[in-house]
Amino acid sequence: MLEVVDLTVAYGPMEAVRRVSFQVEEGTIVTLIGPNGAGKTTILNTISGVIPARSGKIILHGRDITRMSAHKRVSAGVIQVPEGRQVLAGMTVRENLELGGYRRPYREVLRDVTRMEERFPILGERRNLAAGSLSGGEQQMLAIARGLMARPKLLLLDEPSLGLAPKMVQTVFSIIRHVHDEGLTILLVEQNAHLALATSSYAYVIESGRIVLDGQAGKLRSDPTVISSYMGQTV
Amino acid sequence: MDLLAQQLINGLFIGSVYGLFAVGYTLVFGVLDILNLAHAAVFTLGGLLALWLVETGGLSIWLAFPVSVLCCGILGLLLDRVAFVPLRQRADSNFSGLISSIAMAIIFESAALGLFGARTVRFPAHTVPVHIWRWGGISITSLQVEIVAISLLLMVALTQFLNRARAGKAIRAVAENDRTSRLLGIHVDGIIAFTFFISSALGGAAGILFGLYFDSLSPDMGRSIELKGLAVIILGGMGSIPGAILGGLAFGLSEVLTVAITGTSNLRDAVAFTVLFAVLILRPSGLLGRKKMREA
Ligand SMILES: Nc1ncnc2c1ncn2[C@@H]1O[C@H](COP(=O)(O)OP(=O)(O)OP(=O)(O)O)[C@@H](O)[C@H]1O
Ligand SMILES: [Mg+2]
């Protein structure tokens, strides 16, 4: 479904991502793990088209989207739920959901907002509150629900567990597994390697902008370097 | 007593025009965090263009008004394209945008000077039929009522549009966070251009109403309102539409009250700006300004 080929991304003279290649097969969850500053967010943002690629290719369903503008990628079904949630804090929960479906016909969006409020009752209860007044976990739920409002084909999730209480992390990951079971393809970025590897089928380890290791998630879980570098504290 | 009531009413009239000027000003600031210092020049061009359409083109003011407002909107698109888009990638775009908007203001003012001449002009008599109503010592003209009605209508329409329409919500989303807006599929550059269109159209409308109200137009009429408009949006809270409306009315009232109380117009601007300082000391974010809710 998604193929990233030799992707290099730079901020000014600094190359944050260097010749990275990976794939996400239809219907799978693929994880990128790696330490702070490895370039994970940069990769997702380049796939979303909010940061330009310096070189390399991004191919979606066999179609080169490397130079496509960000809003067209949303229409093409690539949706990112950004790091730190980034709900529109001053707008209401409902408005956030509606804007998630910005590129779809309004009538369908209104219907889907209702469905989303049924699926996440807490969002329905809080529909007229400013999104910024929600708790961190509720905001993460809103951010995911807002992403789903676009009817994505490929969902990019950037550190959905960041800063959440353990119980909330479980809730968020059960939502992720659930939407995956419904057929959604997911590219997940996580610091919580233990949870990420337990959730996904394939994983890539990124360090300083390069892929240093990749394999079946189950295999990486028992890989000694992965255990020592990424799963020390979280097991 | 009648004099005071009369002044309060006058303050409301002129305040509504200030408010209309200021909502356009603050709208662009809210979205881009940039002051568009060419806003006053668009205001001037709007007034002069409407006058030209009435005088030379022979249009009725009811037709000249929308035509001129539309032209100002298009001027806004041009302004965005020429003065702001090329700078958007720069790290210092707030500052450089300020400078290039000053440059555009000078160009627009020169254009006004070249096209319409340097003299002070006025709408031909009977452009708008005027009735005068009197109650005791108070008089109100139908023109004043029309001016207030049109400004309030436009401001209410803008507020409703921003709160209810899809494109209006997109404008608010971009104002809050343009990166997130892109991720939601909003065509941010298009929304910004659209914001300039609305802002400048409203600025032009304010210019026409201002010219009708004071019965005088000149290429430098934007000067007097430029600083007041800035004061109004600071008073109301930068980027806040209701704040700009309220700020405009408050500013208009404080001006006329000063004249009424001191009996001269010498202190008018001084007192109005003193009110501004007082508000800012008590409420640094302005009357309706919010502290930005942003995660680090
Ligand atoms: N806007 C930017 N301008 C300049 N450098 C940046 C910018 N954003 C990120 N970087 C740098 O690029 C590198 C990769 O950053 P990125 O945010 O992609 O890492 P990450 O893997 O997502 O890290 P984290 O786990 O902390 O979210 C880092 O060295 C970072 O400092
Ligand atoms: Mg990151």
Side-chain angles (χ1 to χ4, degrees):
Chain A
M1 156 165 269
L2 177 77
E3 214 178 321
V4 172
V5 186
D6 267 347
L7 182 69
T8 298
V9 189
Y11 298 104
M14 192 205 71
E15 292 189 343
V17 171
R18 288 176 233 175
R19 300 182 68 90
V20 161
S21 299
F22 64 93
Q23 307 180 20
V24 181
E25 300 295 339
E26 180 123 30
T28 60
I29 300 185
V30 170
T31 300
L32 307 178
I33 53 178
N36 288 113
K40 307 178 296 292
T41 298
T42 303
I43 292 173
L44 293 195
N45 279 336
T46 312
I47 297 172
S48 287
V50 293
I51 296 179
R54 173 153 293 180
S55 62
K57 279 199 175 103
I58 298 167
I59 294 162
L60 182 75
H61 285 303
R63 179 167 164 218
D64 188 342
I65 60 163
T66 319
R67 306 267 165 255
M68 192 187 265
S69 52
H71 63 278
K72 291 193 179 138
R73 297 190 204 200
V74 169
S75 297
V78 180
I79 307 300
Q80 183 188 152
V81 177
E83 186 176 350
R85 312 180 250 289
Q86 307 295 338
V87 297
L88 297 163
M91 301 182 75
T92 66
V93 169
R94 212 194 150 94
E95 286 173 331
N96 270 270
L97 288 176
E98 276 182 28
L99 284 167
Y102 186 72
R103 301 212 71 77
R104 298 178 48 222
Y106 199 43
R107 198 176 280 200
E108 286 178 27
V109 169
L110 292 181
R111 208 183 49 219
D112 278 8
V113 166
T114 313
R115 287 185 39 227
M116 213 52 84
E117 287 175 346
E118 280 160 13
R119 181 165 188 175
F120 303 102
I122 195 89
L123 299 182
E125 282 165 33
R126 310 232 191 293
R127 66 166 71 97
N128 293 319
L129 295 184
S133 70
L134 301 184
S135 74
E138 289 163 353
Q139 289 191 17
Q140 186 64 60
M141 237 185 256
L142 175 58
I144 293 176
R146 183 180 68 183
L148 296 176
M149 282 296 302
R151 292 271 174 104
K153 299 198 175 79
L154 172 66
L155 191 64
L156 312 174
L157 287 169
D158 198 351
E159 308 216 23
S161 75
L162 192 72
L164 299 186
K167 190 154 173 268
M168 202 62 219
V169 172
Q170 292 306 326
T171 310
V172 165
F173 268 81
S174 75
I175 294 169
I176 294 170
R177 276 190 285 267
H178 194 239
V179 294
H180 173 247
D181 288 342
E182 290 173 349
L184 190 55
T185 309
I186 296 174
L187 176 58
L188 175 67
V189 162
E190 255 302 335
Q191 298 251 351
N192 186 333
H194 189 67
L195 197 53
L197 291 176
T199 309
S200 52
S201 49
Y202 203 88
Y204 295 85
V205 179
I206 303 195
E207 279 175 19
S208 320
R210 294 172 200 277
I211 291 179
V212 293
L213 195 66
D214 68 289
Q216 300 293 330
K219 289 225 181 73
L220 288 191
R221 271 165 100 183
S222 50
D223 183 292
T225 50
V226 173
I227 291 173
S228 67
S229 316
Y230 298 107
M231 294 167 64
Q233 319 92 312
T234 49
V235 173
Chain B
M1 196 56 222
D2 276 355
L3 179 67
L4 187 65
Q6 177 74 57
Q7 293 291 3
L8 282 175
I9 290 167
N10 291 348
L12 183 70
F13 292 137
I14 188 60
S16 72
V17 176
Y18 289 163
L20 186 60
F21 177 81
V23 288
Y25 215 164
T26 213
L27 187 64
V28 164
F29 182 83
V31 169
L32 281 182
D33 286 336
I34 286 179
L35 276 176
N36 168 22
L37 289 181
H39 194 59
V42 174
F43 164 91
T44 306
L45 279 176
L48 290 172
L49 181 61
L51 173 64
W52 184 82
L53 288 169
V54 168
E55 215 173 31
T56 312
L59 298 187
S60 105
I61 186 71
W62 300 107
L63 193 57
F65 185 88
V67 170
S68 170
V69 164
L70 190 70
C71 290
C72 287
I74 292 167
L75 221 50
L77 295 177
L78 184 78
L79 190 60
D80 177 44
R81 191 78 206 91
V82 174
F84 293 102
V85 172
L87 300 172
R88 212 160 281 159
Q89 301 307 323
R90 288 172 61 133
D92 64 350
S93 69
N94 286 26
F95 186 65
S96 53
L98 194 73
I99 301 300
S100 68
S101 74
I102 293 176
M104 286 303 278
I106 294 170
I107 293 170
F108 286 166
E109 274 175 29
S110 313
L113 209 60
L115 291 172
F116 304 107
R119 65 220 154 82
T120 297
V121 285
R122 56 178 49 170
F123 281 96
H126 309 301
T127 300
V128 185
V130 177
H131 310 282
I132 302 179
W133 293 295
R134 292 181 207 281
W135 291 282
I138 303 172
S139 69
I140 298 178
T141 68
S142 57
L143 176 67
Q144 291 175 316
V145 173
E146 279 155 9
I147 287 171
V148 155
I150 291 172
S151 343
L152 290 181
L153 188 78
L154 288 173
M155 290 189 280
V156 169
L158 175 69
T159 308
Q160 290 298 313
F161 173 76
L162 291 174
N163 284 332
R164 293 182 196 276
R166 226 175 175 195
K169 290 175 191 170
I171 289 178
R172 284 162 57 215
V174 173
E176 202 168 313
N177 189 326
D178 63 329
R179 166 71 62 96
T180 303
S181 299
R182 280 197 173 84
L183 292 178
L184 295 176
I186 295 171
H187 183 236
V188 170
D189 289 337
I191 290 292
I192 291 174
F194 183 48
T195 306
F196 268 97
F197 178 89
I198 299 175
S199 163
S200 298
L202 294 176
I208 303 169
L209 297 179
F210 187 88
L212 285 167
Y213 185 78
F214 286 108
D215 198 19
S216 109
L217 292 149
S218 63
D220 62 357
M221 69 189 239
R223 293 276 160 75
S224 71
I225 204 167
E226 180 158 37
L227 207 53
K228 286 176 196 167
L230 191 57
V232 165
I233 66 177
I234 294 170
L235 188 63
M238 302 293 282
S240 162
I241 302 286
I245 299 173
L246 210 64
L249 293 175
F251 209 83
L253 285 173
S254 74
E255 274 189 4
V256 295
L257 283 180
T258 310
V259 177
I261 291 163
T262 62
T264 91
S265 61
N266 296 343
L267 288 176
R268 189 180 60 195
D269 290 352
V271 171
F273 282 94
T274 306
V275 171
L276 170 69
F277 284 129
V279 170
L280 289 183
I281 288 167
L282 297 173
R283 272 189 66 91
S285 54
L287 291 175
L288 298 183
R290 292 170 297 198
K291 288 189 202 77
K292 291 209 165 164
M293 292 190 285
R294 260 186 205 163
E295 285 185 48

